[in-house]
């Protein structure tokens, strides 16, 4: 009986040791999650991450964010009186690699809103703008991350009058769900991912627009325009041109026709080209399914193009290769759009073509060509004229004009205020690196046709 207390002390110590070890393990897990560490990524042991060393010309500001894959985005942000949120010098640094320049400048370049009644048309970027007093100060309930301030002129571009420093940019890391799930027998793996969201809010009339860019852990860029605020109280009509949202009170339907301008910077300035991919039905069948043929077509000169099923475009730098020897590129995935023709283009068109609309346009960079319609200066009124004027040029310093339309038929549930509705597109890395950024352990050697051990069917 005299030795029982010793056994009790020993047991207590053992339990305390387990508790402390468990607490330390939990702390390490929480710390890794908080810092965005990807212990599954196979990138452990590599040198400390290098980020892009960029200088942002005042009043632009530098921002940077590392994500779950171990990749880091770095760029400059600013507020333009017309375009609102503008992003420039956009770099991504894959894990263990050198920074890669992706985009020189990116912003919205026009938002035309024609009402179905034919009684109202606005060109919000050139007539009102998304910056200046139109850009709203954000509060904590509008941002789940950190708010960042900028000096916003009260008049125009700030050449005259005073400016005020306001919190207008929301920067937040958001959960983006499952990154991958592989049940193979050799190295089963799964992981979630996150993304870095930058957004601002601008009020034009009764609408409030969210300019939002989400930079993915996989290198993707989601470009979105969200619309909220209130239905126009002065645009009510009949059932042929709107939707009943009250007692025989029809709010007018209308379109949000947006175009973004992207000046590419893949690997530097110039030396880039563009291609269109189409997968077409051949009319032939294989043993089990119809045959399709996928082909790339070079886009040698400025042009516009329409989206259709199984079509996408890419901008590439033929002189910058990944470790597989493939030119680095970004794919433009338009996705869902209500294709449109700008009213301004139709009224000022110098072409005899029936369809003057486009979903994507490609031109060479010109400092004067900034607005998709109602452009200022003597270099053309809009994208159609930019293309016409440059049709004999070889594409080199590539600018993409991406058009996404949304036809808005109001609903009862949009009063009031309106639930957010979105339109936009995605830029996907295509061959930016030879393999995915966050390779799970055991998958390092899977590049091309897998070894025979990978051909085993997983056991359910």
């Amino acid at each position: 009986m005299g030795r029982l207390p010793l056994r009790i002390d020993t047991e207590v110590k053992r339990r305390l040791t387990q508790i402390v070890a468990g607490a330390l393990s939990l702390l390490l897990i929480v710390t890794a999650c908080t810092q965005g560490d990807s212990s599954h990524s196979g990138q452990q042991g590599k040198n400390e991450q290098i980020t892009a060393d960029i200088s942002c010309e005042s009043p632009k500001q530098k921002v940077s964010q590392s994500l779950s894959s171990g990749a880091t985005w770095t760029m400059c942000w600013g507020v333009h009186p017309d375009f609102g949120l503008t992003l420039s010098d956009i770099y991504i640094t894959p894990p263990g690699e050198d920074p890669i320049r992706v985009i020189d400048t990116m912003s919205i370049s026009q938002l035309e809103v024609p009402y179905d009644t034919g009684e109202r048309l606005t060109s919000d970027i050139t007539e009102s703008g998304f910056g200046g007093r139109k850009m709203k100060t954000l509060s904590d309930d509008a941002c789940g991350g950190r708010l960042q301030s900028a000096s916003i002129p009260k008049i125009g571009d700030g050449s005259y009058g005073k400016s005020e420093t306001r919190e207008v940019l929301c920067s937040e890391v958001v959960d983006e769900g499952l990154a991958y799930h592989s049940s193979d027998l050799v190295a089963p793996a799964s992981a979630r991912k996150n993304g870095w969201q930058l957004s601002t809010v601008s009020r034009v009339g009764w609408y409030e627009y969210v300019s939002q860019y989400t930079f993915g852990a996989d290198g993707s860029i989601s470009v979105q325009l969200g619309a909220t605020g209130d239905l126009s109280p002065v645009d009510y009509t009949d059932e042929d041109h709107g939707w009943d949202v009250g007692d025989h009170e029809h709010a007018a339907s209308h379109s949000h026709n947006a175009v973004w301008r992207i000046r590419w910077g893949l690997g530097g300035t110039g030396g880039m080209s563009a291609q269109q991919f189409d997968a077409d039905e051949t009319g032939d069948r294989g043993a089990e399914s119809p045959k399709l043929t996928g082909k790339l077509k070079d886009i040698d000169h400025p042009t516009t193009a329409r989206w259709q099923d199984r079509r996408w475009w890419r901008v590439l730098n033929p002189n910058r290769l990944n470790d597989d020897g493939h030119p680095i590129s970004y794919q433009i995935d338009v996705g869902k759009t209500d294709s449109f023709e700008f009213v301004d283009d139709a009224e000022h068109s110098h072409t005899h073509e029936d369809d003057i609309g486009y979903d994507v346009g490609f031109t060479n960079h010109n400092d004067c060509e900034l607005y998709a319609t109602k452009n200022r200066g003597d270099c053309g009124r809009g994208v159609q004229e930019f293309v016409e004027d440059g049709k004999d040029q070889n594409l080199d310093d590539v600018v993409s004009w991406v058009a996404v339309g949304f036809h808005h038929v109001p609903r009862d549930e949009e009063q009031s205020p309106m639930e957010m509705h979105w339109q936009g597109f995605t830029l996907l890395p295509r061959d930016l690196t030879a393999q995915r950024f966050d390779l799970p352990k055991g998958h390092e050697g899977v590049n091309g046709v897998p070894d025979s051990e990978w051909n085993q069917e997983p056991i359910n």
Side-chain angles (χ1 to χ4, degrees):
M1 294 295 293
R3 303 188 63 177
L4 181 59
L6 178 62
R7 288 199 300 270
I8 294 175
D9 289 346
T10 303
E11 178 65 18
V12 169
K13 289 179 181 179
R14 186 181 68 82
R15 293 298 302 275
L16 285 173
T17 300
Q18 290 176 335
I19 292 171
V20 171
L24 287 173
S25 299
L26 179 60
L27 178 61
L28 289 172
I29 292 171
V30 171
T31 302
C33 292
T34 303
Q35 295 179 347
D37 177 64
S38 292
S39 59
H40 58 269
S41 67
Q43 298 299 335
Q44 292 178 329
K46 291 197 174 183
N47 295 332
E48 185 178 347
Q49 180 79 333
I50 302 171
T51 58
D53 183 17
I54 63 173
S55 297
C56 301
E57 184 178 352
S58 181
K60 295 179 181 178
Q61 302 176 53
K62 179 179 176 180
V63 286
S64 187
Q65 181 67 53
S66 296
L67 296 173
S68 55
S69 64
T72 300
W73 286 98
T74 307
M75 67 198 69
C76 303
W77 76 278
V79 178
H80 187 276
D82 297 332
F83 308 130
L85 177 59
T86 60
L87 303 176
S88 57
D89 289 317
I90 300 174
Y91 284 78
I92 188 168
T93 307
E97 306 291 341
D98 291 330
I100 302 172
R101 193 167 189 255
V102 177
I103 290 173
D104 182 88
T105 54
M106 176 167 59
S107 71
I108 196 168
S109 66
Q110 188 57 283
L111 174 62
E112 189 181 79
V113 185
Y115 278 72
D116 289 12
T117 59
E119 300 299 321
R120 182 185 293 275
L121 171 69
T122 61
S123 296
D124 289 344
I125 299 303
T126 46
E127 293 175 0
S128 297
F130 272 13
R133 299 297 299 172
K134 299 295 182 181
M135 182 161 284
K136 308 307 294 181
T137 302
L138 300 179
S139 57
D140 290 338
D141 58 359
C143 179
R146 63 183 183 274
L147 294 169
Q148 296 194 220
S149 301
S151 179
I152 308 296
K154 292 184 177 181
I155 302 174
D157 61 1
S159 300
Y160 303 95
K162 297 181 179 180
S163 297
E164 54 187 349
T165 299
R166 297 193 281 118
E167 292 183 327
V168 296
L169 179 73
C170 176
S171 171
E172 56 185 322
V173 175
V174 296
D175 180 79
E176 296 232 279
L178 194 63
Y180 57 79
H181 193 288
S182 176
S183 302
D184 62 78
L185 295 176
V186 180
S190 62
R192 296 180 68 81
K193 61 181 177 179
N194 56 19
W196 181 31
Q197 221 168 67
L198 299 176
S199 59
T200 58
V201 178
S202 303
R203 182 179 177 91
V204 179
W206 295 279
Y207 265 88
E208 303 203 14
Y209 293 101
V210 178
S211 296
Q212 179 177 283
Y213 299 86
T214 304
F215 296 89
D218 61 347
S220 63
I221 305 173
S222 173
V223 181
Q224 295 287 320
L225 179 68
T228 180
D230 288 280
L231 296 169
S232 169
V234 297
D235 287 288
Y236 278 75
T237 182
D238 55 38
E239 62 182 354
D240 291 334
H241 301 96
W243 192 268
D244 188 359
V245 295
D247 185 9
H248 301 288
E249 296 166 318
H250 297 80
S253 301
H254 52 279
S255 295
H256 299 274
N257 298 333
V259 177
W260 286 262
R261 178 184 182 274
I262 306 162
R263 182 190 179 189
W264 292 93
L266 279 169
T269 301
M272 287 167 284
S273 57
Q275 295 177 322
Q276 176 176 295
F277 177 87
D278 285 287
D280 296 322
E281 296 178 355
T282 63
D284 298 329
R285 289 186 61 87
E288 297 188 6
S289 63
K291 291 184 177 181
L292 277 71
T293 300
K295 291 184 178 180
L296 282 168
K297 180 178 73 173
D298 291 333
I299 301 174
D300 297 320
H301 310 286
T303 190
T304 59
R306 283 288 200 184
W307 177 88
Q308 64 183 41
D309 288 342
R310 299 185 298 273
R311 169 176 289 176
W312 46 263
W313 301 268
R314 73 167 179 164
V315 175
L316 62 153
N317 186 334
N319 300 313
R320 179 73 183 267
L321 308 180
N322 68 16
D323 288 345
D324 280 346
H326 303 148
I328 65 172
S329 71
Y330 261 79
Q331 175 179 324
I332 302 172
D333 183 4
V334 174
K336 173 67 178 72
T337 178
D338 293 323
S339 295
F340 61 89
E341 295 178 1
F342 273 125
V343 175
D344 189 75
D345 281 343
E347 291 178 347
H348 297 88
S349 175
H350 300 296
T351 180
H352 298 292
E353 296 181 10
D354 292 333
D355 184 4
I356 59 170
Y358 60 93
D359 295 308
V360 173
F362 296 96
T363 61
N364 279 316
H365 171 67
N366 182 326
D367 285 334
C368 175
E369 297 174 352
L370 298 176
Y371 302 84
T373 65
K374 298 189 176 182
N375 188 61
R376 295 155 189 175
D378 58 359
C379 57
R381 188 177 180 87
V383 174
Q384 296 291 0
E385 291 189 13
F386 303 159
V387 168
E388 179 64 23
D389 293 344
K391 63 183 178 182
D392 296 327
Q393 301 173 359
N394 290 321
L395 279 180
D396 177 71
D397 192 349
V398 179
V399 173
S400 296
W401 306 82
V402 185
V404 182
F406 175 73
H407 185 243
H408 181 198
V409 181
R411 302 178 294 127
D412 271 342
E413 292 84 355
E414 292 178 332
Q415 289 185 311
S416 160
M418 284 182 287
E419 187 72 18
M420 192 73 68
H421 44 280
W422 297 94
Q423 62 194 96
F425 60 97
T426 303
L427 304 174
L428 292 170
R430 177 169 286 278
D431 306 338
L432 194 67
T433 51
Q435 294 170 284
R436 64 175 301 124
F437 291 167
D438 50 348
L439 280 169
K441 186 177 180 180
H443 288 250
E444 297 87 349
V446 183
N447 186 16
V449 178
D451 294 336
S452 59
E453 64 177 347
W454 288 88
N455 297 330
Q456 305 173 63
E457 285 286 341
I459 299 173
N460 293 327

